[in-house]
Amino acid sequence: MSASRSLVVSAVQITAIDGERDRNVEKVLRLLDEAGARGSRLCVLPEMWTGIEYSSVDDYRGIAETIPGDVTDMLADKARKYGMFISGSMYEKAPDGRYFNTAPLIADDGRVLGSYRKTHLFDAPNRPDIPPGCIESKKVGAGDRLDVYETSVGRIGLTICSDLRFPEIYRELALKGAEIITCSSAFLSPRYDHWEFFLRARACENQCFVVAAGQYGKEPKSGLGFVGRSMIVDPWGTVVATASDEEGLVTGYIDHAFIDEVKRRYPLMTQRRPELYPVLRGEGRA
C-alpha cells in the first residue's frame, strides 16, 4: 500500500434507463471525470449501471458484455487518466454463454484485476411493495467466489446489493483482510432504513470502510424505484458522507489509520469463537 494513509473515494449515483445503454454509459463516464477532478483514488458505480432491464424479459442479453469488453475498456481509459480504481456491476456474458451480475475491479493502470459475480441473487416473489417479476435468478446465475484484492489503495472486497442481507459474506471478506468493501446496488425503495442499517452494520461489525453506490429515483419503463443515498461508512459504523436525492457523485475520505485505531480500541476479530459456530463450518445445526 502507498505511504499515504488517507485517500479520496467517490460513489456514483444515477438512474439507469432501460434500453438506453449508451446514454447510461455517457452519464457515468462524465461523473467519473468529476470524480477524477476531485482526486478520487477509488470510485464505485451502482449495480447494473448500464441498464437494469426489468421492463422486459430478455433485453438484458443485448447489453451483456464480456469482461474485458467495450464497457470495461472505457472504464479502463478513465482509470488510467485519473490513477483511479473503479468498480460497479453490469450484465456479463460469460464465455460458456451463461449470464451473471458481475462487478469487475479496474486498476489504476487500466487492468481488470478481477471480477465478483453476485453470490446472493435478489428473488422476492412475495413482496407486496415490489412489482412482480423481480426474480433475478431467472436472468443470471450466482457466483461462487469471494476474493480480496491487494491494491495500492488498500485491500478491496466487492459485493453487490442484496449481499448486504448476508453478513457471512462481509465477515469472510474481512477475515481475508479486506479494508475497503464496495457495494454496488440498485436497492429498491421504500426501504431506506434497511439500506443505511445494513451498510452501517456491515462496516461496524467488520471494522472496515464500506463504499456504497446506488441507483436513484424511478426507472420510467419498469416503474421500479430505488433508494439512492449512496454513502461512505467508516469502521465505527458512522456515515461520513451521503449523496443527496439526485443523480450525482458523493465524495469523502478514507483514513487507513482509523481502521487500525478502531481495531486497537476493540480487537473484535481476535476475540472470535469459531468453535461455537458449527453451522458456519458446515457441520449441521448447533
Side-chain angles (χ1 to χ4, degrees), residues 35-57:
R38 295 182 185 183
S40 302
R41 294 297 317 284
L42 169 67
C43 189
V44 182
L45 312 180
E47 180 181 22
M48 301 302 194
W49 62 272
T50 61
I52 301 284
E53 303 301 338
Y54 267 84
S55 59
S56 65
V57 174

Side-chain angles (χ1 to χ4, degrees), residues 251-271:
T251 301
Y253 286 91
I254 280 180
D255 184 356
H256 280 280
F258 189 56
I259 301 174
D260 299 336
E261 175 59 18
V262 169
K263 290 181 177 180
R264 185 194 68 79
R265 294 178 191 172
Y266 186 21
L268 177 67
M269 305 302 278
T270 64
Q271 296 175 18

Side-chain angles (χ1 to χ4, degrees), residues 187-206:
F187 209 81
L188 292 169
S189 63
R191 293 175 300 149
Y192 170 71
D193 51 347
H194 284 196
W195 169 245
E196 181 182 10
F197 167 79
F198 284 133
L199 290 172
R200 295 182 67 186
R202 299 297 89 90
C204 182
E205 67 197 4
N206 294 296

Side-chain angles (χ1 to χ4, degrees), residues 41-146:
R41 294 297 317 284
L42 169 67
C43 189
V44 182
L45 312 180
E47 180 181 22
M48 301 302 194
W49 62 272
T50 61
I52 301 284
E53 303 301 338
Y54 267 84
S55 59
S56 65
V57 174
D58 56 13
D59 282 356
Y60 70 94
R61 297 179 182 179
I63 65 169
E65 298 203 19
T66 59
I67 298 175
D70 289 344
V71 166
T72 53
D73 286 349
M74 287 186 273
L75 297 182
D77 288 342
K78 298 298 183 184
R80 283 190 293 266
K81 181 176 182 179
Y82 298 112
M84 181 167 58
F85 291 80
I86 303 170
S87 185
S89 100
M90 54 188 280
Y91 284 110
E92 176 199 6
K93 185 175 182 180
D96 61 6
R98 291 185 296 163
Y99 295 88
F100 295 93
N101 180 349
T102 303
L105 178 62
I106 314 297
D108 55 356
D109 61 3
R111 289 177 300 128
V112 178
L113 285 185
S115 293
Y116 167 68
R117 291 171 170 170
K118 189 177 182 181
T119 53
H120 289 72
L121 304 181
F122 184 72
D123 288 357
N126 303 312
R127 287 287 301 275
D129 59 335
I130 294 174
C134 286
I135 309 296
E136 190 174 17
S137 60
K138 290 184 177 180
K139 294 179 180 285
V140 298
D144 59 5
R145 292 183 61 88
L146 297 172

